[in-house]
Amino acid sequence: MSYYDLLPGTYFDPTYAAVIKSLLIGDNVLLVSPYGFGGKTFFNFFLSRQKTIDRTIISWSNNLPVKTLLKQVKENHRRGTKQIVIMRQVEKIDDLPVLLEKLNDIRQPNPQNTSYLIITDHRGLTDIDQYLAGFNTFFSSRYLLGAFDFEKTTENIRANCLFFGWPYLPQNDKKVFQLSGGIPRLIKHIYKEINESQLTFEDPSAFLFDQSISFQLQYLADLIMKIDPNYLIKFGILDAKKKIKSELLAMFFSDLQVKIAKQNFAELTRAEAQLFSLFFSNPDEIISIDRVADFLSISDDDFSLWAVYKLIARLKEKIKSKYDLVNLKGRGYKLGFESR
């Protein structure tokens, strides 16, 4: 029995039920899942239950030729076959809007006979222009796979224990949820380290040495550095107060900010190091004062606008030997990388 067969039928609900409903009425659906949030699992979960869906199912991932997919979908549609095409890793396609336009053309006439479920990473929310077919809106519906709540986290733990043969210890659920923030890949590898490496909760920093955990945390830290906090809230990476939910991620992110800053300027304070890491990770990008304030509030208490300006002024003075922090009036600040 596969891992996906072990998952309860309601594992991805209410999202799964809503996706199926949209597909069966002929809608094209975009499912946005940051890396490690269950996009691959959803793909295989869907395929494991395709016998319950009254449609021909065609699956595609990025390691298969696009031409083969187009030919098969076109032939099915020409014959009047009702079909659902499920695709993942489309963010790796060089010219995605062109492909979407071709897929859209295949649906004509009788678009209700062919619908597409396309699973992509965070860019399906943050870079939505890449998911248009020419000037047409390709997707009728869009859904997100975010971090799990506590109940879904325990379901995930039970499924992993059943599949991998790990003992299920309910007393671990709360701490695993706190460390992982409900992020599926972190849940799995935290539990793996507990069972296979005998790590304990007494020293959470020990989990950071696991390669899979650190890789996931680096990806999430990059998102925090580069995208709007409101998107991070939608994904469940931040809570409503814009604080990092995963204790491991908060630990990793704090260390990363200091590391970036100390490699360049050892004398920076913690707040200055946080601010420098934001500018350094977004070279030549204009960072608005609101984004600066939001970013600082992720790791610290809220800053007043006056305090933010004072912090920027102090940072500008301390880094001027190497970098020029330019104030673009009314727009924000940009870090210049030309040495003085």
Side-chain angles (χ1 to χ4, degrees):
M1 183 176 290
S2 75
Y3 173 77
Y4 311 103
D5 292 320
L6 294 174
L7 298 176
T10 57
Y11 185 72
F12 281 111
D13 280 347
T15 303
Y16 181 79
V19 166
I20 294 297
K21 182 178 180 181
S22 295
L23 291 170
L24 290 178
I25 62 174
D27 284 353
N28 294 333
V29 176
L30 180 64
L31 182 66
V32 182
S33 172
Y35 178 80
F37 280 58
K40 180 180 178 181
T41 302
F42 191 101
F43 179 86
N44 288 295
F45 181 87
F46 184 99
L47 294 179
S48 72
R49 285 156 175 77
Q50 60 181 293
K51 291 181 180 179
T52 66
I53 303 170
D54 184 25
R55 292 288 189 277
T56 296
I57 307 298
I58 298 175
S59 63
W60 180 91
S61 57
N62 194 50
N63 59 336
L64 300 173
V66 171
K67 288 183 179 179
T68 302
L69 170 73
L70 293 173
K71 181 179 179 181
Q72 184 178 6
V73 175
K74 187 174 183 178
E75 181 60 25
N76 281 350
H77 192 80
R78 186 188 64 79
R79 292 199 303 259
T81 302
K82 292 187 175 182
Q83 60 184 336
I84 294 173
V85 183
I86 177 171
M87 305 170 64
R88 62 180 292 263
Q89 296 182 315
V90 297
E91 66 276 0
K92 297 181 179 180
I93 295 173
D94 290 335
D95 201 342
L96 181 57
V98 171
L99 174 60
L100 294 181
E101 194 163 6
K102 290 179 179 178
L103 292 172
N104 195 48
D105 289 343
I106 289 174
R107 301 179 80 213
Q108 312 307 323
N110 303 316
Q112 70 278 3
N113 285 351
T114 297
S115 53
Y116 300 98
L117 168 58
I118 294 184
I119 303 173
T120 189
D121 66 3
H122 64 275
R123 285 167 282 192
L125 181 62
T126 62
D127 300 320
I128 192 60
D129 287 348
Q130 291 299 309
Y131 294 83
L132 301 176
F135 295 102
N136 300 311
T137 301
F138 183 80
F139 297 101
S140 305
S141 306
R142 181 175 64 186
Y143 301 96
L144 305 182
L145 288 183
F148 288 152
D149 59 16
F150 180 72
E151 182 180 351
K152 290 292 185 183
T153 296
T154 58
E155 282 189 8
N156 182 277
I157 292 172
R158 289 193 189 101
N160 284 327
C161 288
L162 189 59
F163 183 73
F164 292 105
W166 300 329
Y168 172 60
L169 302 173
Q171 63 269 30
N172 287 342
D173 289 356
K174 183 177 180 181
K175 191 58 182 177
V176 171
F177 178 64
Q178 291 170 340
L179 288 176
S180 68
I183 296 167
R185 184 171 293 273
L186 291 181
I187 296 168
K188 172 186 173 182
H189 286 282
I190 289 170
Y191 226 86
K192 179 181 178 183
E193 288 299 294
I194 292 170
N195 285 278
E196 297 184 7
S197 300
Q198 284 73 54
L199 295 188
T200 69
F201 298 127
E202 293 179 3
D203 181 18
S205 64
F207 290 96
L208 301 178
F209 293 98
D210 175 79
Q211 187 174 3
S212 296
I213 290 175
S214 63
F215 183 86
Q216 179 69 40
L217 294 175
Q218 182 64 62
Y219 167 79
L220 295 170
D222 288 344
L223 291 188
I224 293 173
M225 292 282 196
K226 295 181 181 298
I227 70 174
D228 189 309
N230 291 310
Y231 292 136
L232 300 172
I233 292 172
K234 289 182 178 180
F235 289 134
I237 298 169
L238 304 183
D239 63 21
K241 296 181 179 180
K242 298 182 180 178
K243 303 298 181 185
I244 296 173
K245 292 169 65 175
S246 161
E247 291 181 1
L248 279 186
L249 178 57
M251 192 184 312
F252 181 90
F253 187 63
S254 178
D255 291 346
L256 179 65
Q257 290 176 303
V258 172
K259 181 180 178 181
I260 290 173
K262 297 302 183 184
Q263 285 175 343
N264 290 270
F265 301 97
E267 71 278 10
L268 296 182
T269 66
R270 182 170 176 270
E272 291 163 355
Q274 291 171 353
L275 183 56
F276 179 77
S277 70
L278 173 64
F279 287 112
F280 189 82
S281 299
N282 295 277
D284 293 322
E285 182 177 338
I286 299 171
I287 309 293
S288 71
I289 195 70
D290 289 338
R291 184 175 170 192
V292 169
D294 281 340
F295 181 78
L296 292 171
S297 70
I298 289 173
S299 300
D300 277 308
D301 294 332
D302 292 341
F303 279 72
S304 68
L305 196 58
W306 178 84
V308 171
Y309 280 119
K310 292 289 287 184
L311 181 62
I312 291 173
R314 292 201 305 271
L315 177 63
K316 183 174 183 177
E317 181 65 23
K318 288 186 178 181
I319 67 174
K320 66 181 182 180
S321 62
K322 292 184 179 179
Y323 301 101
D324 188 15
L325 189 55
V326 181
N327 180 3
L328 300 170
K329 192 172 182 180
R331 300 172 66 192
Y333 293 83
K334 182 173 74 170
L335 187 67
F337 284 76
E338 296 81 16
S339 298
R340 285 178 174 270

